[in-house]
Amino acid sequence: MADSGMPLLLDEAISGMDQPAMQVDLNAVDDLFGDPDGLSLPSRPLSRRLRRRLDELRGRGCCQGLAWSKGGTIASITADGRFVELRYMRASMKDAAWELSEPTVISPWQNVNGGPIVHLSWAPSSSELAVIDAVGRVFLLNLNSDVNRPLISRRWEGDAVDDLQTIVGTYWLNQYPANSRFVPIYGPAVKSTSGTDYTFETSALPLMGPTHPNPTKSALICVTTNGLLKMFWSRTNSKTEETTLELESATSADDLITHAAVCSDKTKSIFIAMATTSKQLRVVQVGINFDPLKADNAQNASSAAYPIHPSLGKRHVAVTSWFQTGMCESALDASMSKISHIEMLPPHLDVHTKQTSPIMVITVRSYIPEPNSAYNQEAQSIVDRWELLTEQKQTVHTAFERLSVRRNSVGSTPPSTTRLKKLDSMVVNKIILGVNVASSGRVISFYYQDGSVDYRDRFTMQELYREPNLDRVQSILEAGFSQAGEPSCLQMAFSPANLSLVQMYEDGQIKWHNLEYTMGDPVTTPEGHLNAVIASCTMLAAAATVNSHNIDDILAVARNFPRKDHIALKWVMGLVQLMRIPVDYSDDLPHDQLIRNQPLQVCFSIFSHFGWNGEFHARQFQSKLSTLALGLRNAVILVTLASSAPNMVKAASSPLDEPEVVNALAGCARWSIDFLCWLCDALFGLLDDPNFTSLLAQPNQPNQPQQLVRMTRYLHEKGEIALHLILCSSTRNLISAVCRRLVLLDNYAGRALNFYSSRGEIPDSSGSRHVALYAAYRKMHRHTSTALIKAEDFDSFLGVLAGDIRSAYATSLSPLAEKDAQKAAAKNSSANPNAPKPDRVKEARQHCELNMLLVYPPPTSFSAVITKLFRQDLTSFRANIDLAKLYFADYSLLEIHDTPEALADRKRRGMKIDMFRRIEISRQAQVALKRCSRCGNVMEDLTLGNIKPGMLFLLAQQRTCSCGGRLARLPSPTNTV
């Protein structure tokens, strides 16, 4: 339709007349011939490649060629069906912006005799990938170590090449954290009465279905076209086994299954919905028991102590027809005689009403008009739904009841039945190319051929998240985001948190699309809108942390906004409050509790990433502190694992008897010693800084809080993090743990050297098998014995500081303790003795420690502690230190100095620090490298050579970077780092 502002022949400028131009209302042209409906052009005909894709979806239930794992790996099938490409999201080394990596092509299979690869399926939490070909052969890959290099779990050469074994449905058993009874649900986020901050609602859902005895593993369920169920599961020795069960007996072509879907139930069973060529929809219940011996004999024993003996059992529960014409408002209903998708939604518990909704079966049928059709028909899809109603009581006709009375007999109650109840269908004028289940089965998402995505409620099928809702945010889409790709889409896969997506286009290209912010420019986002974004990221990160999912897609969304330091602070604060992450380690607790605090590592990782702007850019204050904290944690873990390896590893070879492991520990010792030296040098620099010492509290000086605020502001301006590292209890305890590991390594090195000395022969280059091990322990002893800062002395120094801090807490929080004691005594007679009692002192300390973790000013009670630290403790500790050597020492191994001169020198030298062995890797070194996808750290790929069991054990634990990011092998062993 023409624009109302376009010139016509009657316009004055064109006609050349002096009369004013005739005014024509072009907006009413549609009404020119009395037609109330507007004129519309016929839609563009759909491409041949899209028609072929729809034929694939109709012909087989398993044809997903693009899949994104919860661990962050994107797998796709090449156009010829012979190879698989692996991609991942990574932060650019230039400016830390997120991007899609280049593909890594893999083909670990010897042949493709079963036809092309047609389907990819990821495990729910672990990075296990099932690769399935056209005849149903299954190849299992494991990508738990590297994001783009798999290990083989199962080969398909032993599978039969039989069309009747074609797989039409796959499902991985659910994975839950060990010893968990419920699945925590975080959200929605509700805006507070102040209108600025958000509070979070939390709930829990029961565990669904059977699970593998090992919480780190799952089991793959496959349904074949001839009605055979195959379950692939792992033994305790990681060997993959197969168990089968006949679901249906296919005696004719009408009995063949075209599509199948599986879901878990609240019982220890799964339900399978199968669509047959005769247009039947059958539902079968399958019980899975992995270890019947353990279930009968021992309930609380560890599953690792028992062999796994899975058993399967089936029960046919319901059958109906999936092609029920005349029950839909679409005129094309009868023309859609083939389904393209089938999906099962698990039962959903409403946390408010405590009512559980039944299992739901969804099928999709689509219609594409003929390209040369004389009718102007639109493409259309119909979504049919059924509820699986269980325990339906059967009623007996009254005539039969009267008959039983005449005969003086008592009739038995008919058994309960299960049936499929047809619900209203949904019609959309698009082609549905994919169906996904989200929000624990409460929400269904569809994606279409035009690249659009929508989310719908499972009960009403109404579209969700269409408009922003900042008062009650359930999805990040309600915080002002839109999720869509581009047209010409054939396949789509969603990120671990269902934020960004990747698309496969008709030309075979794969592109990544991040969420788009629709409420204005992210640079000028108001504070209230930004708080909604942060609250959404907080809920998503909490769920990902509990389920051990990758959070790179969440970081990629939040990084598009400026004020990254502000976002990181509010994000971590909300995460600590939502997940109740302990950050108070001021008591003398075992270091194991701090090291096992996985959510705290996520908080440090968020700080580290948002303060990193590229390889040769200075880090922000909090990012620098968090990066060092993550390095300290990684050093403690490495030494602990090497010194306390399991007996099965020591039986083959103890890690401390392998030169490669000892060399890695020696590098870790050197890095830790350099850190202690740098920390002391920074503290001594503050002691000699008159601007800083003038901010220390004077006797009887008022206004101490403002003094601490000015001190913190000065440290921020100077970029000095040393004082925060030792005042914050979490980082202080990490430093103490490193000191004790250094003492342990020095002890190991001394014992090893004494052992060789007591033998009367010192290994040399004469060819003794102990030469390399002896040299490694000598290196370790040299680092620990010549350290400018003795680890045990600095640990004692930290112990004195920790005692002063505990005393300051006890003094300042004693009124709270007294009030709690008085309230407890007053309510002791009437209150429930088993009710939990709030510990206000503990809550206050948690609040103070959280503020220091967020690099806010320390509490007022710390004023005397800081003054004593610098005027007594630090002065006494410095008396026995060689300050000149400390000042001129080389701290390049820490990569802590980020002045323009230091960054330019680092770029000129082209040296990288191996994050595992803590050694420098030169630019000329021709070694294979692995890089962290989140922070850019690198390490040499040590898995290529002949690895001994001890080193293999340590590398198996080093699956991620110290920041929690996944490691990716660089394309080739070159100096490109």
Side-chain angles (χ1 to χ4, degrees), residues 310-325:
S311 60
L312 304 176
K314 67 175 181 179
R315 183 174 70 93
H316 295 270
V317 294
V319 62
T320 187
S321 173
W322 57 258
F323 188 57
Q324 302 176 12
T325 58

Side-chain angles (χ1 to χ4, degrees), residues 596-885:
R596 296 178 185 273
N597 191 347
Q598 191 74 18
L600 185 59
Q601 182 203 17
V602 175
C603 296
F604 283 134
S605 181
I606 293 173
F607 279 135
S608 177
H609 175 72
F610 276 95
W612 182 59
N613 297 308
E615 185 177 12
F616 300 112
H617 293 78
R619 285 184 177 270
Q620 296 177 358
F621 189 89
Q622 180 59 63
S623 176
K624 192 185 302 183
L625 184 146
S626 298
T627 303
L628 285 177
L630 292 170
L632 293 170
R633 180 179 181 272
N634 199 50
V636 174
I637 292 175
L638 178 61
V639 178
T640 303
L641 290 175
S643 59
S644 57
N647 293 330
M648 59 181 301
V649 176
K650 292 181 178 179
S653 176
S654 175
L656 296 177
D657 292 338
E658 298 179 8
E660 297 81 5
V661 174
V662 178
N663 277 317
L665 295 177
C668 179
R670 181 190 171 189
W671 183 91
S672 302
I673 291 171
D674 286 356
F675 168 78
L676 294 181
C677 293
W678 166 84
L679 181 61
C680 291
D681 182 63
L683 292 173
F684 296 158
L686 291 177
L687 185 60
D688 296 331
D689 185 356
N691 295 326
F692 176 79
T693 54
S694 64
L695 299 174
L696 296 177
Q698 303 295 331
N700 301 324
Q701 182 183 14
N703 202 13
Q704 291 181 357
Q706 292 301 320
Q707 200 81 353
L708 293 176
V709 171
R710 288 193 291 269
M711 178 187 297
T712 304
R713 186 183 302 118
Y714 176 76
L715 293 176
H716 276 260
E717 294 172 355
K718 194 175 180 180
E720 187 56 73
I721 62 173
L723 182 58
H724 283 82
L725 280 170
I726 62 175
L727 288 182
C728 184
S729 63
S730 55
T731 52
R732 183 176 66 251
N733 276 269
L734 285 174
I735 300 172
S736 176
V738 165
C739 291
R740 299 182 187 184
R741 284 354 180 244
L742 284 174
V743 174
L744 181 64
L745 291 180
D746 182 62
N747 186 25
Y748 284 153
R751 289 166 55 186
L753 296 182
N754 290 335
F755 167 76
Y756 285 114
S757 300
S758 62
R759 295 179 58 185
E761 55 175 304
I762 304 298
D764 52 22
S765 58
S766 60
S768 171
R769 65 184 183 90
H770 293 282
V771 171
L773 185 60
Y774 177 75
Y777 274 114
R778 282 193 59 186
K779 182 194 298 185
M780 181 187 295
H781 185 261
R782 182 170 63 252
H783 292 327
T784 56
S785 61
T786 61
L788 297 177
I789 303 296
K790 298 299 181 182
E792 56 270 27
D793 295 341
F794 194 77
D795 190 29
S796 301
F797 168 76
L798 291 179
V800 174
L801 175 61
D804 294 339
I805 291 177
R806 284 193 294 269
S807 300
Y809 275 138
T811 303
S812 60
L813 302 179
S814 58
L816 290 178
E818 294 177 358
K819 290 182 180 179
D820 286 345
Q822 294 174 0
K823 291 182 179 180
K827 297 181 179 180
N828 190 25
S829 57
S830 59
N832 182 8
N834 298 324
K837 299 178 178 59
D839 191 343
R840 297 181 61 188
V841 174
K842 187 176 181 179
E843 294 175 357
R845 290 196 315 189
Q846 172 83 356
H847 176 73
C848 295
E849 292 293 336
L850 177 59
N851 284 339
M852 287 190 289
L853 183 66
L854 302 176
V855 295
Y856 290 146
T860 308
S861 58
F862 276 39
S863 179
V865 175
I866 297 174
T867 302
K868 176 179 178 294
L869 170 68
F870 281 93
R871 291 184 175 170
Q872 297 182 23
D873 302 335
L874 197 59
T875 304
S876 302
F877 183 77
R878 187 173 66 165
N880 299 322
I881 305 299
D882 192 335
L883 300 181
K885 291 184 178 180

Side-chain angles (χ1 to χ4, degrees), residues 408-639:
N408 297 324
S409 61
V410 179
S412 61
T413 303
S416 299
T417 61
T418 302
R419 66 184 182 92
L420 286 167
K421 177 185 177 183
K422 184 71 168 66
L423 303 178
D424 293 336
S425 301
M426 181 189 73
V427 181
V428 290
N429 293 324
K430 296 180 183 180
I431 300 299
I432 296 177
L433 292 180
V435 183
N436 291 299
V437 180
S439 300
S440 302
R442 186 182 61 86
V443 177
I444 319 167
S445 68
F446 301 93
Y447 69 85
Y448 305 91
Q449 86 281 1
D450 59 356
S452 60
V453 183
D454 62 28
Y455 293 82
R456 296 181 181 270
D457 184 87
R458 70 176 287 174
F459 305 107
T460 63
M461 296 303 289
Q462 296 295 320
E463 193 170 352
L464 303 174
Y465 318 138
R466 297 188 60 183
E467 300 294 337
N469 182 12
L470 303 185
D471 294 330
R472 186 179 180 87
V473 182
Q474 296 208 25
S475 168
I476 194 172
L477 300 178
E478 293 183 313
F481 290 91
S482 66
Q483 185 183 51
E486 297 177 357
S488 301
C489 170
L490 293 181
Q491 297 191 52
M492 189 181 295
F494 295 88
S495 64
N498 282 331
L499 299 185
S500 55
L501 54 90
V502 287
Q503 282 184 297
M504 179 183 292
Y505 297 97
E506 295 183 5
D507 58 359
Q509 293 187 17
I510 293 179
K511 294 183 180 180
W512 169 61
H513 297 276
N514 202 358
L515 288 181
E516 294 185 3
Y517 192 65
T518 60
M519 298 185 67
D521 187 359
V523 178
T524 59
T525 304
E527 184 72 16
H529 295 178
L530 186 60
N531 289 337
V533 175
I534 298 173
S536 304
C537 294
T538 303
M539 294 186 295
L540 293 170
T545 302
V546 170
N547 297 295
S548 300
H549 293 173
N550 191 275
I551 65 169
D552 289 346
D553 56 334
I554 311 175
L555 296 174
V557 171
R559 194 173 179 86
N560 291 330
F561 293 84
R563 300 173 60 194
K564 297 180 178 59
D565 53 345
H566 173 73
I567 293 177
L569 287 174
K570 298 208 69 172
W571 189 352
V572 171
M573 182 184 298
L575 202 60
V576 170
Q577 296 173 353
L578 177 60
M579 300 187 68
R580 299 180 181 179
I581 304 174
V583 297
D584 176 26
Y585 292 92
S586 54
D587 289 333
D588 192 9
L589 299 174
H591 294 148
D592 290 349
Q593 298 183 17
L594 175 60
I595 300 301
R596 296 178 185 273
N597 191 347
Q598 191 74 18
L600 185 59
Q601 182 203 17
V602 175
C603 296
F604 283 134
S605 181
I606 293 173
F607 279 135
S608 177
H609 175 72
F610 276 95
W612 182 59
N613 297 308
E615 185 177 12
F616 300 112
H617 293 78
R619 285 184 177 270
Q620 296 177 358
F621 189 89
Q622 180 59 63
S623 176
K624 192 185 302 183
L625 184 146
S626 298
T627 303
L628 285 177
L630 292 170
L632 293 170
R633 180 179 181 272
N634 199 50
V636 174
I637 292 175
L638 178 61
V639 178

Side-chain angles (χ1 to χ4, degrees), residues 358-372:
I359 293 175
M360 183 177 292
V361 182
I362 293 178
T363 62
V364 177
R365 296 178 289 140
S366 298
Y367 174 79
I368 296 182
E370 295 298 329
N372 299 322

Side-chain angles (χ1 to χ4, degrees), residues 60 114 134-136 160-168 224-226 256:
R60 64 171 73 247
V135 296
V161 180
D162 184 1
D163 289 338
L164 292 178
Q165 299 290 326
T166 301
I167 293 178
V168 297
T224 65
T225 188
N226 63 346
L256 295 180

